[in-house]
mmCIF file of all heavy atoms in Angstrom:
data_model
loop_
_atom_site.group_PDB
_atom_site.id
_atom_site.type_symbol
_atom_site.label_atom_id
_atom_site.label_comp_id
_atom_site.label_asym_id
_atom_site.label_seq_id
_atom_site.Cartn_x
_atom_site.Cartn_y
_atom_site.Cartn_z
ATOM 1 N N ALA Q 639 -58.417 67.000 13.159
ATOM 2 C CA ALA Q 639 -59.463 67.049 12.142
ATOM 3 C C ALA Q 639 -59.771 68.493 11.730
ATOM 4 O O ALA Q 639 -60.055 68.768 10.560
ATOM 5 C CB ALA Q 639 -60.726 66.362 12.665
ATOM 6 N N ARG Q 640 -59.689 69.415 12.700
ATOM 7 C CA ARG Q 640 -59.978 70.820 12.419
ATOM 8 C C ARG Q 640 -58.837 71.478 11.643
ATOM 9 O O ARG Q 640 -59.059 72.337 10.781
ATOM 10 C CB ARG Q 640 -60.210 71.569 13.739
ATOM 11 C CG ARG Q 640 -60.454 73.069 13.617
ATOM 12 C CD ARG Q 640 -61.695 73.372 12.783
ATOM 13 N NE ARG Q 640 -61.961 74.801 12.720
ATOM 14 C CZ ARG Q 640 -61.294 75.666 11.963
ATOM 15 N NH1 ARG Q 640 -60.311 75.232 11.168
ATOM 16 N NH2 ARG Q 640 -61.599 76.946 11.971
ATOM 17 N N TRP Q 641 -57.591 71.079 11.965
ATOM 18 C CA TRP Q 641 -56.420 71.631 11.271
ATOM 19 C C TRP Q 641 -55.612 70.462 10.706
ATOM 20 O O TRP Q 641 -54.546 70.098 11.253
ATOM 21 C CB TRP Q 641 -55.585 72.460 12.233
ATOM 22 C CG TRP Q 641 -56.281 73.710 12.687
ATOM 23 C CD1 TRP Q 641 -56.454 74.856 11.972
ATOM 24 C CD2 TRP Q 641 -56.902 73.946 13.965
ATOM 25 N NE1 TRP Q 641 -57.132 75.797 12.711
ATOM 26 C CE2 TRP Q 641 -57.430 75.263 13.939
ATOM 27 C CE3 TRP Q 641 -57.067 73.186 15.119
ATOM 28 C CZ2 TRP Q 641 -58.102 75.818 15.027
ATOM 29 C CZ3 TRP Q 641 -57.735 73.722 16.199
ATOM 30 C CH2 TRP Q 641 -58.252 75.031 16.146
ATOM 31 N N PRO Q 642 -56.079 69.826 9.643
ATOM 32 C CA PRO Q 642 -55.444 68.604 9.134
ATOM 33 C C PRO Q 642 -54.011 68.810 8.639
ATOM 34 O O PRO Q 642 -53.247 67.847 8.535
ATOM 35 C CB PRO Q 642 -56.366 68.182 7.981
ATOM 36 C CG PRO Q 642 -57.109 69.412 7.599
ATOM 37 C CD PRO Q 642 -57.273 70.205 8.857
ATOM 38 N N GLN Q 643 -53.649 70.051 8.333
ATOM 39 C CA GLN Q 643 -52.292 70.326 7.858
ATOM 40 C C GLN Q 643 -51.278 70.317 9.006
ATOM 41 O O GLN Q 643 -50.058 70.274 8.757
ATOM 42 C CB GLN Q 643 -52.239 71.687 7.157
ATOM 43 C CG GLN Q 643 -52.272 72.902 8.081
ATOM 44 C CD GLN Q 643 -53.651 73.248 8.625
ATOM 45 O OE1 GLN Q 643 -54.622 72.597 8.291
ATOM 46 N NE2 GLN Q 643 -53.727 74.286 9.434
ATOM 47 N N ALA Q 644 -51.748 70.356 10.236
ATOM 48 C CA ALA Q 644 -50.854 70.463 11.388
ATOM 49 C C ALA Q 644 -50.185 69.127 11.706
ATOM 50 O O ALA Q 644 -50.797 68.060 11.589
ATOM 51 C CB ALA Q 644 -51.625 70.962 12.608
ATOM 52 N N GLU Q 645 -48.937 69.191 12.134
ATOM 53 C CA GLU Q 645 -48.195 68.009 12.574
ATOM 54 C C GLU Q 645 -48.520 67.753 14.044
ATOM 55 O O GLU Q 645 -48.363 68.644 14.890
ATOM 56 C CB GLU Q 645 -46.699 68.243 12.405
ATOM 57 C CG GLU Q 645 -45.843 67.088 12.893
ATOM 58 C CD GLU Q 645 -44.354 67.402 12.880
ATOM 59 O OE1 GLU Q 645 -43.996 68.576 13.125
ATOM 60 O OE2 GLU Q 645 -43.568 66.478 12.624
ATOM 61 N N VAL Q 646 -48.959 66.549 14.366
ATOM 62 C CA VAL Q 646 -49.268 66.181 15.750
ATOM 63 C C VAL Q 646 -48.037 65.536 16.378
ATOM 64 O O VAL Q 646 -47.513 64.541 15.870
ATOM 65 C CB VAL Q 646 -50.473 65.231 15.826
ATOM 66 C CG1 VAL Q 646 -50.693 64.766 17.267
ATOM 67 C CG2 VAL Q 646 -51.729 65.922 15.297
ATOM 68 N N ILE Q 647 -47.582 66.116 17.477
ATOM 69 C CA ILE Q 647 -46.374 65.679 18.167
ATOM 70 C C ILE Q 647 -46.760 65.162 19.553
ATOM 71 O O ILE Q 647 -47.563 65.786 20.256
ATOM 72 C CB ILE Q 647 -45.378 66.843 18.290
ATOM 73 C CG1 ILE Q 647 -45.021 67.373 16.887
ATOM 74 C CG2 ILE Q 647 -44.123 66.432 19.043
ATOM 75 C CD1 ILE Q 647 -44.275 68.686 16.906
ATOM 76 N N ALA Q 648 -46.179 64.037 19.949
ATOM 77 C CA ALA Q 648 -46.562 63.409 21.210
ATOM 78 C C ALA Q 648 -45.347 62.798 21.893
ATOM 79 O O ALA Q 648 -44.334 62.514 21.242
ATOM 80 C CB ALA Q 648 -47.622 62.342 20.972
ATOM 81 N N PRO Q 649 -45.439 62.562 23.207
ATOM 82 C CA PRO Q 649 -44.352 61.898 23.918
ATOM 83 C C PRO Q 649 -44.393 60.391 23.677
ATOM 84 O O PRO Q 649 -45.424 59.863 23.213
ATOM 85 C CB PRO Q 649 -44.643 62.226 25.383
ATOM 86 C CG PRO Q 649 -46.136 62.333 25.433
ATOM 87 C CD PRO Q 649 -46.535 62.948 24.118
ATOM 88 N N PRO Q 650 -43.319 59.688 23.998
ATOM 89 C CA PRO Q 650 -43.319 58.235 23.821
ATOM 90 C C PRO Q 650 -44.368 57.569 24.705
ATOM 91 O O PRO Q 650 -44.618 57.996 25.827
ATOM 92 C CB PRO Q 650 -41.900 57.828 24.240
ATOM 93 C CG PRO Q 650 -41.393 58.963 25.070
ATOM 94 C CD PRO Q 650 -42.041 60.190 24.525
ATOM 95 N N GLY Q 651 -45.004 56.554 24.155
ATOM 96 C CA GLY Q 651 -45.990 55.796 24.915
ATOM 97 C C GLY Q 651 -47.426 56.145 24.616
ATOM 98 O O GLY Q 651 -48.324 55.348 24.897
ATOM 99 N N LEU Q 652 -47.678 57.326 24.029
ATOM 100 C CA LEU Q 652 -49.072 57.718 23.804
ATOM 101 C C LEU Q 652 -49.712 56.883 22.703
ATOM 102 O O LEU Q 652 -50.886 56.526 22.801
ATOM 103 C CB LEU Q 652 -49.169 59.209 23.469
ATOM 104 C CG LEU Q 652 -50.594 59.773 23.391
ATOM 105 C CD1 LEU Q 652 -51.366 59.499 24.673
ATOM 106 C CD2 LEU Q 652 -50.571 61.272 23.101
ATOM 107 N N ARG Q 653 -48.973 56.562 21.653
ATOM 108 C CA ARG Q 653 -49.515 55.700 20.595
ATOM 109 C C ARG Q 653 -49.973 54.367 21.166
ATOM 110 O O ARG Q 653 -51.010 53.828 20.783
ATOM 111 C CB ARG Q 653 -48.467 55.459 19.521
ATOM 112 C CG ARG Q 653 -48.327 56.557 18.496
ATOM 113 C CD ARG Q 653 -47.233 56.229 17.509
ATOM 114 N NE ARG Q 653 -47.170 57.203 16.431
ATOM 115 C CZ ARG Q 653 -46.102 57.429 15.703
ATOM 116 N NH1 ARG Q 653 -44.981 56.737 15.937
ATOM 117 N NH2 ARG Q 653 -46.121 58.324 14.732
ATOM 118 N N GLU Q 654 -49.178 53.821 22.092
ATOM 119 C CA GLU Q 654 -49.506 52.524 22.670
ATOM 120 C C GLU Q 654 -50.629 52.644 23.689
ATOM 121 O O GLU Q 654 -51.461 51.740 23.824
ATOM 122 C CB GLU Q 654 -48.257 51.932 23.335
ATOM 123 C CG GLU Q 654 -47.122 51.579 22.374
ATOM 124 C CD GLU Q 654 -46.351 52.795 21.870
ATOM 125 O OE1 GLU Q 654 -46.480 53.888 22.479
ATOM 126 O OE2 GLU Q 654 -45.623 52.660 20.872
ATOM 127 N N THR Q 655 -50.669 53.760 24.411
ATOM 128 C CA THR Q 655 -51.702 53.963 25.428
ATOM 129 C C THR Q 655 -53.070 54.179 24.800
ATOM 130 O O THR Q 655 -54.083 53.659 25.291
ATOM 131 C CB THR Q 655 -51.347 55.180 26.306
ATOM 132 O OG1 THR Q 655 -50.062 54.965 26.903
ATOM 133 C CG2 THR Q 655 -52.375 55.384 27.407
ATOM 134 N N VAL Q 656 -53.108 54.958 23.716
ATOM 135 C CA VAL Q 656 -54.375 55.261 23.035
ATOM 136 C C VAL Q 656 -54.195 54.965 21.541
ATOM 137 O O VAL Q 656 -53.910 55.873 20.742
ATOM 138 C CB VAL Q 656 -54.804 56.724 23.242
ATOM 139 C CG1 VAL Q 656 -56.223 56.939 22.717
ATOM 140 C CG2 VAL Q 656 -54.716 57.123 24.702
ATOM 141 N N PRO Q 657 -54.346 53.711 21.136
ATOM 142 C CA PRO Q 657 -54.186 53.373 19.719
ATOM 143 C C PRO Q 657 -55.178 54.140 18.845
ATOM 144 O O PRO Q 657 -56.311 54.398 19.241
ATOM 145 C CB PRO Q 657 -54.475 51.867 19.687
ATOM 146 C CG PRO Q 657 -54.218 51.392 21.081
ATOM 147 C CD PRO Q 657 -54.631 52.537 21.968
ATOM 148 N N GLY Q 658 -54.716 54.539 17.675
ATOM 149 C CA GLY Q 658 -55.593 55.224 16.730
ATOM 150 C C GLY Q 658 -55.488 56.725 16.737
ATOM 151 O O GLY Q 658 -56.069 57.390 15.865
ATOM 152 N N LEU Q 659 -54.754 57.299 17.685
ATOM 153 C CA LEU Q 659 -54.586 58.752 17.668
ATOM 154 C C LEU Q 659 -53.752 59.166 16.451
ATOM 155 O O LEU Q 659 -52.812 58.466 16.069
ATOM 156 C CB LEU Q 659 -53.886 59.222 18.945
ATOM 157 C CG LEU Q 659 -54.722 59.258 20.224
ATOM 158 C CD1 LEU Q 659 -53.836 59.669 21.411
ATOM 159 C CD2 LEU Q 659 -55.891 60.222 20.097
ATOM 160 N N PRO Q 660 -54.073 60.314 15.857
ATOM 161 C CA PRO Q 660 -53.370 60.748 14.637
ATOM 162 C C PRO Q 660 -52.026 61.392 14.962
ATOM 163 O O PRO Q 660 -51.818 62.587 14.739
ATOM 164 C CB PRO Q 660 -54.349 61.747 14.016
ATOM 165 C CG PRO Q 660 -55.037 62.360 15.199
ATOM 166 C CD PRO Q 660 -55.175 61.243 16.201
ATOM 167 N N ILE Q 661 -51.084 60.620 15.463
ATOM 168 C CA ILE Q 661 -49.774 61.139 15.868
ATOM 169 C C ILE Q 661 -48.805 61.058 14.691
ATOM 170 O O ILE Q 661 -48.631 59.994 14.096
ATOM 171 C CB ILE Q 661 -49.233 60.348 17.070
ATOM 172 C CG1 ILE Q 661 -50.152 60.548 18.292
ATOM 173 C CG2 ILE Q 661 -47.800 60.768 17.405
ATOM 174 C CD1 ILE Q 661 -49.842 59.629 19.445
ATOM 175 N N ASP Q 662 -48.184 62.180 14.360
ATOM 176 C CA ASP Q 662 -47.239 62.231 13.257
ATOM 177 C C ASP Q 662 -45.792 62.051 13.702
ATOM 178 O O ASP Q 662 -44.981 61.505 12.951
ATOM 179 C CB ASP Q 662 -47.361 63.577 12.520
ATOM 180 C CG ASP Q 662 -48.749 63.783 11.921
ATOM 181 O OD1 ASP Q 662 -49.192 62.910 11.162
ATOM 182 O OD2 ASP Q 662 -49.378 64.811 12.243
ATOM 183 N N ARG Q 663 -45.469 62.513 14.902
ATOM 184 C CA ARG Q 663 -44.081 62.450 15.353
ATOM 185 C C ARG Q 663 -44.025 62.258 16.863
ATOM 186 O O ARG Q 663 -44.790 62.883 17.605
ATOM 187 C CB ARG Q 663 -43.335 63.728 14.960
ATOM 188 C CG ARG Q 663 -41.880 63.776 15.419
ATOM 189 C CD ARG Q 663 -41.042 64.783 14.625
ATOM 190 N NE ARG Q 663 -41.554 66.131 14.644
ATOM 191 C CZ ARG Q 663 -40.903 67.178 15.193
ATOM 192 N NH1 ARG Q 663 -39.743 66.982 15.811
ATOM 193 N NH2 ARG Q 663 -41.412 68.391 15.110
ATOM 194 N N VAL Q 664 -43.125 61.400 17.312
ATOM 195 C CA VAL Q 664 -42.897 61.159 18.732
ATOM 196 C C VAL Q 664 -41.540 61.745 19.099
ATOM 197 O O VAL Q 664 -40.543 61.513 18.411
ATOM 198 C CB VAL Q 664 -42.928 59.650 19.057
ATOM 199 C CG1 VAL Q 664 -42.537 59.409 20.522
ATOM 200 C CG2 VAL Q 664 -44.314 59.082 18.782
ATOM 201 N N ILE Q 665 -41.505 62.528 20.173
ATOM 202 C CA ILE Q 665 -40.243 63.083 20.658
ATOM 203 C C ILE Q 665 -40.098 62.775 22.143
ATOM 204 O O ILE Q 665 -41.083 62.603 22.859
ATOM 205 C CB ILE Q 665 -40.134 64.612 20.428
ATOM 206 C CG1 ILE Q 665 -41.266 65.360 21.155
ATOM 207 C CG2 ILE Q 665 -40.151 64.933 18.939
ATOM 208 C CD1 ILE Q 665 -41.125 66.884 21.078
ATOM 209 N N GLY Q 666 -38.854 62.711 22.601
ATOM 210 C CA GLY Q 666 -38.594 62.456 24.006
ATOM 211 C C GLY Q 666 -38.244 61.010 24.277
ATOM 212 O O GLY Q 666 -38.490 60.127 23.455
ATOM 213 N N GLY Q 667 -37.652 60.780 25.442
ATOM 214 C CA GLY Q 667 -37.246 59.442 25.845
ATOM 215 C C GLY Q 667 -35.825 59.456 26.354
ATOM 216 O O GLY Q 667 -35.178 60.506 26.447
ATOM 217 N N ASP Q 668 -35.310 58.284 26.682
ATOM 218 C CA ASP Q 668 -33.973 58.205 27.268
ATOM 219 C C ASP Q 668 -32.885 58.674 26.316
ATOM 220 O O ASP Q 668 -31.876 59.236 26.739
ATOM 221 C CB ASP Q 668 -33.693 56.760 27.708
ATOM 222 C CG ASP Q 668 -34.547 56.340 28.892
ATOM 223 O OD1 ASP Q 668 -34.995 57.239 29.637
ATOM 224 O OD2 ASP Q 668 -34.770 55.132 29.080
#
Side-chain angles (χ1 to χ4, degrees):
R640 177 61 177 77
W641 293 284
Q643 75 282 358
E645 178 187 34
V646 175
I647 301 168
L652 188 55
R653 278 178 174 157
E654 294 76 16
T655 302
V656 189
L659 284 177
I661 296 170
D662 299 305
R663 179 160 56 116
V664 174
I665 60 174
D668 291 336

